[in-house]
Amino acid sequence: MSRPLTIRDLPREERFAPGHRMCQGCGAAILMRHITKAVPKDTIITQATGCVEVTTTLYPETAWKHPWIHVAFENAAAVASGVEAALKALKRKGVIPESKDVKVLSMGGDGGTFDIGIQALSGMLERGHDVLYIVYDNEAYMNTGIQRSGATPFGAWTTTTPVGKVWRGEWRRKKDIISIALAHRVPYVATVNPAFLPDLYEKIRKALSIKGPKLIHAFSPCVPGWRYEPELTIAIAKMAVFTGVWVNYEVENGEFRVTTPVPKRKPVEEYLKLQGRFRHLTAQEISEIQKYVDEQVEHINKLAGKVVIGPVER
Amino acid sequence: MKHKVPLSGNSAVAYAVKAMDVDVVSAYPITPQTTIVEKIAEFVANGELDAKVIHVESEHSALSAAVGASATGARIFTASSSQGIALMYEIMFIASSMRLPIVMTIATRALSAPINIWNDHSDFMAVSDTGWVMMMAENNQEAHDDVVLAYRIAEDPRVLLPVATALDGFFMTHTIEPIEVISREEGLEFAPKKKTWYTLDPDNPVTMGALGDPNWYFEFKKQQYEALKNSRTVFDEAVKEFEKKFGRSYGPVEYFGNEDAEVVLVAMGHVSGNIKAFIEKTSAGNVGLLRVKLYRPFPEDLIVKHLENAEIVGVIDRALVPGSPYGGPLYSDVIVTLSKNNLSKKVVDFIAGLGGRPVTLGHIKNIVEKLEELKLKPQKDLPKEPLFVGVRE
Ligand SMILES: Cc1ncc(C[n+]2csc(CCOP(=O)(O)OP(=O)(O)O)c2C)c(N)n1
Ligand code: SF4
Ligand SMILES: [Mg+2]
């Protein structure tokens, strides 16, 4: 086996130009930079409304060196369906040479994917379009000022789940987008994290080598939305993995594989305490979140058929 | 004379889509539009049309996919009605502002509630300010020809806007008439496929659908406004050449009857056929019909030209805007046009045939009689509200 890929092996070429208006330390900015390193130059991108779209395309400037289109909030997957169908039709009719391999990448935030865009996404996955869909999940509607979404985790403060005398932040658990994607029998789904860039790179390359619809769920820390200092983005992304809050894995044609095993987990508190959005949580609420994480880890280990994410070590 | 084929309005539209060698079709079923897409699916299934059909899960996605496909450089067709058009509303504005030459056929139908699958112009009128070129046919031949005209206009570099063609639900979509079908060769000669717009090309990457802040948004809108206005010239050129090639002549409006008729009705769609029959059979040369075919851009010059000499004008509106100062949208367009041109005219609005209630010869007779009566009254005594035709009180 060849030696594992390191960050130094990633392409030098930048197709996500600097000078955009994303916040310092934005997890999504790191993701976009490295996603565009992983996809080939001949990739058309369709993007949903949201932080990434708004901050990277203020006319007459653009951060995108790819052909890129934004239409609305809830339809990035439908637009991608149209792009993909057009490429196929135009190839068949000889307008685009048969030899030209053009990939289609579609991206949206958690709001544009889990919530308002779920119908367009489901249609795209079900119809079998040859599209890679990447959801960058910052766990709320950040562009409009940190409102909760179906991806907001239990306990998180947002501007629409504030902490008051009655409410204690978000009281429902995060939607499981991977299971939803898998229910469409897609050939490839994976999770990625900006603290594990070689893993991200390899998964995107692999996804694009597979025909059909693919979904990648990307962990995307948000400085103002999660209330932390900009230099902590990678530390938080790592801690999410070390606590089992986030698990890097892939499911290729039904085969499940954890790509970042964690033999010994840290308590979830280590992750929560880095972020202001969880500052109000009581010990009891934290233990409830720990229970949810334990449940998730148990499920993952069951899918893996062995213990890949170990027990909590205090 | 060319051989004629008996076709429903919807089949006539589908044959035109075939003649245009459309590359991508993305549409969602809704009555009365459905059989357009079924017929197209049949063509594709039989290998008569080489197109990718996207079986979208909603009209919102139908138009979104159309935007994506058009932005990639494909010739694209979609069609819908009523609730489907309402669901597309958001993307209709965007398709126009992104200057994509999408062609859509609207099989006109009432909007819910109450849910109603029958014909009126509520859907068509509800989207008349979304920045599309819009036209409405009177018969199936015209519905067929309009689709061919639409691609020619939409893809013209002076326009680059989406075009909606319309035909009346059931009265046309499901009614069979003899049609001269345009072949693929003829169609492509009239509206050849040329790459006239920016596309998503990896060799020449562009960003489409960027954020336009207060420094730029306004200029985009002004350009879109100009393009829609200029589409009239392109429309005029297109119908002229169409007549040369196919022998059928169309204009932004059609006038029927005596040019110096005192009473002139303004109408759109199939109802015009009944009005023509009434004029031919009953009226003693004192009634004329001004049928509006091109609704956006509104042909103000021709409205003025044909209404200038009328004593009284009756507008037949097949849609209603509650709470507005005008009632019917067509009436509002006519009134504004006349007033801009300093023509103080007696104009009365008639709301007729909502939700598929037929507008009969009897109704038309009543309308004309009412106008004859109001003609003698001073302008200040005209009704201040629309008159409802054929509705129970
Ligand atoms: C139909 C529609 N509804 C609401 C909005 C307002 N809106 C724009 S972006 C956004 C939230 C985006 O959230 P998400 O998809 O999670 O992306 P993020 O901004 O967090 O990156 C909302 C609510 C819109 N643009 N369109
Ligand atoms: S608000 Fe959050 S997601 Fe948006 S640019 Fe800033 S850090 Fe990134
Ligand atoms: Mg978000």
Side-chain angles (χ1 to χ4, degrees), chain A residues 41-42 44 54 57 59-60 62 65-71 74-75 78 82-83 85 89 92-93 100 119-120 123 127, chain B residues 21-23 50-52 55-58 61 64-65 69 72 90-91 94 200 202-203 205-211 216:
Chain A
K41 180 189 136 292
D42 288 355
I44 296 175
V54 164
T57 65
Y59 188 86
T62 181
K65 297 186 185 177
H66 283 275
W68 183 98
I69 182 171
H70 156 255
V71 180
E74 65 286 64
N75 66 356
V83 170
R92 207 160 66 192
K93 291 181 166 183
K100 185 135 180 113
Q119 174 178 318
R127 289 187 300 268
Chain B
D21 188 36
V22 162
D23 304 312
D50 185 6
K52 284 295 285 182
H55 298 102
V56 281
E57 77 299 331
S58 76
S61 285
S64 299
T72 310
E90 181 196 26
I91 310 303
I94 300 175
L200 297 164
D203 294 328
V206 289
T207 288
M208 292 182 157
L211 174 69
W216 290 102

Side-chain angles (χ1 to χ4, degrees), chain A residues 4 9 12 35 43 54 58 74 84 134 144-147 158 166 179 235-236 257 267 290:
Chain A
D9 300 319
R12 299 279 142 150
I35 289 166
T43 300
V54 164
L58 179 59
E74 65 286 64
E84 183 253 16
I134 301 181
T144 38
I146 327 170
Q147 295 83 27
T158 70
V166 181
S179 295
I236 289 172
R257 190 170 77 92
Q290 184 65 62

